[in-house]
Amino acid sequence: MKNRSKKFFAPLLALFITVFTVYAQGANAYNWYCKRAKDNARPAAESSLSFIFENGGAYIGKDPEEKVIYLTFDAGYENGNISKILDVLKAHNTHGAFFVLENIITRNTDLVKRMAAEGHLVCNHTARHKDMTKMSAESFKAELYKLESILRETAGVECAKFYRPPEGRFNEANLKTAQEMGYKTVFWSLAYADWDNDKQPDPEKAKQLLLANTHNGAVILLHPTSKTNADILDSLLTEWENQGYRFGTLSELF
């Protein structure tokens, strides 16, 4: 009778532990947000999020005096605008970091190959763009490993060891697990509402917003599917160059 009870309750206990762990992780979830500062000042992260720095995370360049910008792009699919973004970056001999999903690797393999061939970092945005705070450590690892594998096997590209949480949603456990996997977690210090293809910002207003909030060490998040971004990137890069900014690589953040 005792053996039967063990056989019955052991799986339930394991399930309970898994559910409780995932719930506990989700209960301590955060949505990354960086409030813009006036007069091109560097925005500060909230003190409650200081643990990101202790667990392999960063959102801004180290040196407040250095005029450097880090261009990052979250790319899930192609709609014609990513190719235009790559054309502009090539014309300026400028490199960025593309955080990709499984979808763009399998559907637009040549585009992903082009990113790597032209010197851009191809980084991990997970395979399926899920809420990672609701996953166990094992499921979290599986998502990142799956993206690595698909990128390697489909495009012949090795994933750069930089991770960005889908929708900027994270918890401390995620950061620790990513760090155990050899990843650095990259947030951002400047972004704007550019992701909705049906509600694209006015190009001139978008450009002025970005220029007014550019700061030393800015990690800029742009969605390369945005028509507005494709239209303004050339003039943006020119303006930043004229202001004396250079474009850095993510390894400098750490």
Side-chain angles (χ1 to χ4, degrees):
M1 191 71 180
K2 288 183 179 179
N3 289 336
R4 287 183 179 179
S5 296
K6 287 182 180 179
K7 288 181 180 180
F8 178 76
F9 286 110
L12 289 179
L13 179 60
L15 177 63
F16 173 78
I17 292 173
T18 300
V19 171
F20 178 79
T21 301
V22 172
Y23 172 79
Q25 288 177 332
N28 296 313
Y30 300 87
N31 291 304
W32 176 256
Y33 175 73
C34 195
K35 187 177 180 180
R36 297 173 192 144
K38 295 181 179 179
D39 302 320
N40 300 100
R42 284 160 55 95
E46 295 200 15
S47 58
S48 61
L49 299 179
S50 62
F51 65 84
I52 71 169
F53 310 114
E54 301 159 10
N55 293 282
Y59 78 100
I60 198 168
K62 294 179 180 179
D63 187 351
E65 303 301 321
E66 187 176 14
K67 291 181 74 67
V68 58
I69 289 171
Y70 303 93
L71 294 173
T72 70
F73 303 89
D74 289 2
Y77 60 94
E78 168 65 317
N79 59 355
N81 290 317
I82 296 182
S83 296
K84 294 176 183 177
I85 293 284
L86 288 172
D87 290 342
V88 173
L89 293 172
K90 185 176 182 179
H92 283 260
N93 193 27
T94 297
H95 300 125
F98 286 82
F99 290 85
V100 300
L101 302 172
E102 173 185 1
N103 179 71
I104 194 170
I105 299 170
T106 57
R107 290 173 179 257
N108 307 100
T109 307
D110 287 344
L111 190 68
V112 175
K113 288 181 178 179
R114 179 186 172 186
M115 292 173 185
E118 294 182 355
H120 305 293
L121 294 176
V122 183
C123 310
N124 206 321
H125 201 31
T126 74
R128 300 172 297 162
H129 206 267
K130 300 293 185 180
D131 183 348
M132 301 300 281
T133 67
K134 294 181 178 179
M135 293 189 177
S136 66
E138 290 73 21
S139 297
F140 180 97
K141 290 179 181 179
E143 272 289 310
L144 271 64
Y145 283 141
K146 183 179 181 183
L147 190 283
E148 288 180 8
S149 178
I150 292 170
L151 182 58
R152 182 183 305 113
E153 294 172 6
T154 306
V157 174
E158 286 298 321
C159 187
K161 287 290 188 172
F162 299 102
Y163 160 67
R164 173 164 284 159
E167 297 185 356
R169 188 164 172 79
F170 69 102
N171 57 29
E172 189 167 4
N174 288 168
L175 299 184
K176 289 180 181 296
T177 303
Q179 190 172 42
E180 289 171 5
M181 298 173 68
Y183 278 91
K184 301 295 186 182
T185 301
V186 182
F187 294 99
W188 59 88
S189 62
L190 178 57
Y192 79 114
D194 62 348
W195 55 84
D196 189 339
N197 292 334
D198 295 325
K199 296 180 181 179
Q200 281 295 286
D202 174 78
E204 189 57 33
K205 289 181 180 179
K207 179 182 172 183
Q208 292 309 315
L209 183 152
L210 290 167
L211 290 174
N213 289 280
T214 302
H215 48 272
N216 291 353
V219 177
I220 299 179
L221 162 59
L222 298 173
H223 287 86
T225 50
S226 162
K227 183 180 184 303
T228 293
N229 289 339
D231 288 344
I232 68 174
L233 186 61
D234 180 57
S235 59
L236 261 178
L237 293 181
T238 299
E239 184 61 33
W240 281 327
E241 290 163 349
N242 290 340
Q243 292 179 8
Y245 284 100
R246 70 175 182 86
F247 301 100
T249 62
L250 290 186
S251 58
E252 297 175 44
L253 288 176
F254 304 94

